[in-house]
Amino acid sequence: MDTDGTHDSRGTRANPVPRPAGPPPPMPSAAPFEAPSHASAASREWPAGAGGLPPAPEHAPSTGPTLRDWLRVPRVADAPGTWAYGHRPRPPEEPERTPTRQLVSGALISLLAGLLLWSLVWNGYLGGFWLWPLFVFTPDSWRGTMASVVAAYVYYALVVAGFLVVFGRLGRWAELARRALGRATGAAKETAAPPPGPEDDLAEWPELRAAGHGEIAARLASEVRAERMNDVDYARIRRAWHSVRADPSRLTAFTEAVRAGGAAACVHPSGKRDLPVRAARHDLLGRQVRLGTVQDGERNPYPRRGTGLALDPVLLGTSLLAVGPPGAGKTHALVRPVVESLSLQALAGQAAVIAVCAGGTQLGPDDAYDVVIRIGDPGSVYDLDLYGGTNDPDEAAAVLAEGLVGDLTDTDSRRATTALAQLLGPFRAAHGRLPGVPELRELLDGEPAALAALREALDSAGHHAMRRELDARERQSGASGDPGRALADRVALLDRPAFASFFDTSGRTRPFSLRTLEHPLRVRIDLPERGHGEASRMLARLVLAQFTANASARSDRSLFACLVLDDATRTLTAETLRGVQRLRSANAGAVLTLRTLDDVPEALHTALLGAVGCRMAFSGITTWDGKRFAEAWGTEWVETRDVTQRTVFADQPLTRAIHAFRKLVTGKAVTTDAVTVRKVERERWSASELAHSVPAGHAVLSLRTVRGEYAPPLLVDLRN
């Protein structure tokens, strides 16, 4: 079937594969999975610029739960961001908790009262009326026989049991016993659930059985039982089956792939079935990655306290902004887990991820990616397409202008787009390609030789319309407000010896284009932040502009596409923010991290916080940043209690004497408390609280789904 190389079979060895959803220690590599020589053409097909990557080694088995056990764990997500794996919902409000001391005293009093009443009854002080049921319900012929003795003892036992029930309830003995033993209510009544049948056991592939493909389901179920299938395999084959349901013409290819490959059917074009190492906890069945635990404290709603917090494409589709100082854990606690989760989903044919970071950032090993672009490194296998893979001069000019001068307040991006189009169009018409960096710099600088050569090429080819575009550029060059000089200065940052082998348009390199977002790619772009900081920020801005343009223009949006910027300093403009807002309707999203909101122009602060659906404030932010988050999160109605103490003045001599004695002993006058309960509106988190009350290793995170569901700001422990 036509799957763009994402659902075609490859051979595999029958060694065990990694356990799903277990702890994430590093796992050693085992023997590689080999691709058979008779692999189909589709399985060898790969997007332009991605290269023919060989299969990589897989893991040895780890000590987590088996896939069958993992699939049987219930998943309940009762609120956005809840870690659904094994989650047990909590009541909406915290139940009243009686102090243990009060429970003990109440139990003792009820026990003593019960013993006193029983002694009075047993010794006959209350008469013998309590024995009348024994005489009413037993025949007279039993009198003096063994039957009457047995009946009497049974009756006494029932009376004692009644006393225990009544006084036990009065003294709340059961609650005291549960608290003393540390067991939850009803824990003793829980019984093991019966094993599920094939119709509801995910390990038995009930969807395939219900569709009449019992043979294929049995083949896959045997792979699960033999532990030759991992969580990535399950998610990948399940995704392939859903594509078959959407397009029944793929059924034959799907069944053949499963018969031939088993757990390795429909493998990713790279041949990989897992990442070399996992640093976070993942649940591929729910497409979630766990970030931490919601703190069990008063700052969080009671139903969320102590529950796991996770991210998934439904949340990332609204985009996420994280702000925190250096060392707060943005890369370790957020960026890497998210990139890792999306990379696993890419191996399952569900997502495409582009991670942009400074060179040397720890976002996993190189073999965890399909494409690694090290800009400025002569040893880099891949190059970056400066124009985003388009051959349309106008489209290329719009994206390039945003990347080059979108952050300049004194340069109009629309005029910059026009200036670039007046050069890119004629060059494309004359040479059949777009210009490289040195050629574009010469044209923007107005080099007479370069302009004359381009003019001559246009005349010889008869492109008179393009000749007029070039003449217009020459006339506007140097005029007031002309963006040509700013564009030339920015292009000059890329026309350096370190980048001599990059951004080539002649076909000598292997350029990666963001037009490949329709494929389940894992891409990492390393920027030369050290020594070329200005160029790195410009390239990050260019990648963001290309991503927002290409993600929205995809014809096939079945894959979730996500761009992760480990440092979004000076990359955000008014136009890119509008592009970020459009991503949620294109099954795409962006993860942006900043050291401070001051890394973004002040005029864009409100637009930035409004463009993203998920906002995250790490420990250590300033009060100025906290003020912006507090305004974005708004206020809530809370119930407050005001307690006023008033001195009691006694009228009677005896009462005054008692009060005087009490004051002499305690040192305090006798007072009464007047309690006033009212509802007030206050900030969910104030700027001061965000700056000074968030512990180290924690963050405050609000979430919103693409469907509009909202979770209020939660204090999350990212270390757990």
Side-chain angles (χ1 to χ4, degrees):
M1 56 184 171
D2 183 13
T3 58
D4 294 324
T6 61
H7 299 312
D8 300 288
S9 62
R10 286 178 181 259
T12 180
R13 297 183 181 179
N15 24 337
V17 291
R19 311 285 190 182
M27 294 177 284
S29 298
F33 289 90
E34 299 175 349
S37 59
H38 60 275
S40 63
S43 65
R44 296 190 298 268
E45 184 181 349
W46 192 245
L53 303 177
E58 298 289 342
H59 304 275
S62 63
T63 57
T66 64
L67 180 64
R68 178 178 289 271
D69 296 336
W70 176 73
L71 291 171
R72 289 177 174 176
V73 173
R75 290 163 173 82
V76 180
D78 52 359
T82 300
W83 173 249
Y85 181 81
H87 171 66
R88 292 183 179 180
R90 303 183 69 181
E93 295 183 359
E94 183 175 9
E96 286 192 30
R97 183 177 176 89
T98 306
T100 304
R101 182 177 179 181
Q102 182 177 341
L103 281 178
V104 172
S105 60
L108 289 176
I109 292 173
S110 65
L111 177 62
L112 293 176
L115 291 176
L116 176 61
L117 182 60
W118 173 252
S119 65
L120 294 176
V121 170
W122 183 257
N123 293 318
Y125 292 109
L126 298 181
F129 70 91
W130 64 282
L131 295 174
W132 69 265
L134 179 63
F135 297 104
V136 170
F137 293 102
T138 56
D140 295 337
S141 59
W142 286 13
R143 304 291 181 265
T145 64
M146 182 60 66
S148 65
V149 175
V150 172
Y153 278 107
V154 171
Y155 180 71
Y156 297 156
L158 292 176
V159 173
V160 171
F163 268 76
L164 291 176
V165 170
V166 172
F167 287 95
R169 285 185 175 275
L170 292 175
R172 303 168 73 174
W173 297 352
E175 184 176 348
L176 179 61
R178 285 193 298 267
R179 189 173 300 182
L181 298 176
R183 295 182 297 182
T185 304
K189 300 180 180 179
E190 292 182 358
T191 56
E199 67 280 355
D200 55 5
D201 187 359
L202 296 179
E204 297 295 329
W205 300 86
E207 293 184 3
L208 285 170
R209 296 181 187 275
H213 302 289
E215 176 192 354
I216 301 300
R219 174 79 165 93
L220 294 173
S222 65
E223 296 285 274
V224 174
R225 287 190 292 270
E227 299 188 19
R228 290 190 294 266
M229 181 181 292
N230 65 3
D231 52 348
V232 178
D233 296 330
Y234 188 91
R236 185 186 65 249
I237 297 174
R238 193 163 178 253
R239 155 83 178 184
W241 167 244
H242 290 167
S243 70
V244 169
R245 294 175 59 184
D247 183 4
S249 64
R250 300 180 176 184
L251 177 60
T252 302
F254 173 76
T255 56
E256 291 178 355
V258 173
R259 290 192 184 100
C266 313
V267 74
H268 188 264
S270 66
K272 296 183 180 180
R273 297 167 57 192
D274 206 347
L275 297 178
V277 64
R278 299 190 188 188
R281 291 191 63 189
H282 304 275
D283 182 20
L284 284 178
L285 199 61
R287 303 178 68 179
Q288 288 188 317
V289 55
R290 181 179 176 125
L291 294 187
T293 303
V294 179
Q295 189 188 57
D296 190 1
E298 295 182 356
R299 292 296 324 198
N300 293 316
Y302 179 76
R304 300 300 300 268
R305 297 177 191 173
T307 62
L309 188 131
L311 295 179
D312 55 47
V314 176
L315 295 168
L316 296 177
T318 63
S319 296
L320 184 148
L321 172 68
V323 179
K330 299 187 298 297
T331 300
H332 171 75
L334 172 66
V335 173
R336 180 167 182 182
V338 169
V339 171
E340 191 174 271
S341 175
L342 294 172
S343 296
L344 288 170
Q345 294 178 43
L347 292 178
Q350 299 172 334
V353 57
I354 312 292
V356 182
C357 60
T361 304
Q362 298 298 319
L363 293 186
D366 291 351
D367 54 356
Y369 298 89
D370 304 312
V371 176
V372 178
I373 306 171
R374 295 188 179 89
I375 298 178
D377 183 356
S380 178
V381 178
Y382 296 100
D383 190 6
L384 179 65
D385 193 327
L386 194 64
Y387 302 102
T390 182
N391 288 320
D392 184 348
D394 294 327
E395 182 181 346
V399 176
L400 186 59
E402 192 62 35
L404 293 178
V405 296
D407 62 323
L408 299 180
T409 57
D410 57 349
T411 302
D412 188 352
S413 295
R414 291 174 296 179
R415 297 190 66 179
T417 299
T418 302
L420 284 172
Q422 289 172 338
L423 295 175
L424 298 183
F427 194 96
R428 173 77 171 81
H431 300 285
R433 62 178 177 85
L434 294 173
V437 169
E439 297 165 324
L440 181 59
R441 182 183 181 185
E442 290 179 348
L443 294 174
L444 288 171
D445 280 335
E447 290 287 340
L451 292 173
L454 180 55
R455 191 180 300 109
E456 182 180 352
L458 291 173
D459 290 340
S460 62
H463 295 293
H464 303 295
M466 292 293 103
R467 170 65 184 270
R468 288 193 295 271
E469 288 286 310
L470 186 60
D471 293 341
R473 172 90 289 270
E474 288 188 88
R475 289 193 303 271
Q476 296 168 6
S477 179
S480 176
D482 179 61
R485 176 51 53 192
L487 289 169
D489 291 342
R490 287 299 177 85
V491 172
L493 295 174
L494 302 180
D495 191 18
R496 309 296 299 168
F499 308 133
S501 59
F502 288 86
F503 318 118
D504 183 74
T505 60
S506 62
R508 294 191 302 268
T509 61
R510 304 175 67 184
F512 168 76
S513 166
L514 268 75
R515 281 191 173 270
T516 57
L517 291 176
E518 294 184 357
H519 301 275
L521 284 171
R522 302 166 297 161
V523 182
R524 193 185 77 214
I525 302 176
D526 292 347
L527 300 177
E529 185 69 31
R530 186 175 180 180
H532 300 278
E534 188 68 23
S536 295
R537 288 186 286 272
M538 185 176 65
L539 290 171
R541 188 165 56 250
L542 178 62
V543 171
L544 177 58
Q546 291 182 357
F547 178 83
T548 56
N550 287 293
S552 301
R554 292 181 299 167
S555 58
D556 181 7
R557 299 180 178 180
S558 59
L559 292 181
F560 176 73
C562 188
L563 174 69
V564 182
L565 280 178
D566 185 54
D567 184 4
T569 300
R570 294 181 57 186
T571 62
L572 298 169
T573 66
E575 183 60 33
T576 54
L577 285 181
R578 284 189 285 269
V580 168
Q581 284 181 313
R582 292 192 295 266
L583 291 177
R584 66 179 64 187
S585 62
N587 194 24
V591 176
L592 312 170
T593 69
L594 293 170
R595 295 182 180 91
T596 172
L597 287 175
D598 290 335
D599 291 336
V600 177
E602 185 176 359
L604 297 178
H605 287 180
T606 301
L608 172 59
L609 290 170
V612 297
C614 303
R615 310 178 188 99
M616 193 171 187
F618 279 78
S619 171
I621 66 171
T622 64
T623 52
W624 293 274
D625 288 343
K627 180 180 178 181
R628 291 294 188 181
F629 277 96
E631 292 174 351
W633 284 329
T635 60
E636 63 179 345
W637 288 97
V638 296
E639 188 177 88
T640 62
R641 288 174 172 263
D642 296 330
V643 180
T644 304
Q645 291 186 338
R646 299 178 180 177
T647 303
V648 178
F649 297 97
D651 296 330
Q652 302 298 325
L654 179 60
T655 307
R656 284 199 300 269
I658 294 174
H659 287 184
F661 178 76
R662 181 174 175 181
K663 183 177 181 180
L664 180 64
V665 173
T666 63
K668 297 180 181 180
V670 179
T671 61
T672 58
D673 293 340
V675 181
T676 303
V677 180
R678 59 178 179 173
K679 285 191 174 183
V680 297
E681 191 176 13
R682 73 173 187 185
E683 291 178 318
R684 298 178 185 273
W685 280 85
S686 69
S688 179
E689 289 173 331
L690 288 171
H692 306 295
S693 300
V694 179
H698 291 63
V700 181
L701 172 64
S702 67
L703 301 170
R704 187 178 295 276
T705 69
V706 292
R707 296 185 293 267
E709 299 170 322
Y710 176 74
L714 302 171
L715 180 59
V716 182
D717 185 354
L718 301 174
R719 302 166 302 181
N720 186 8

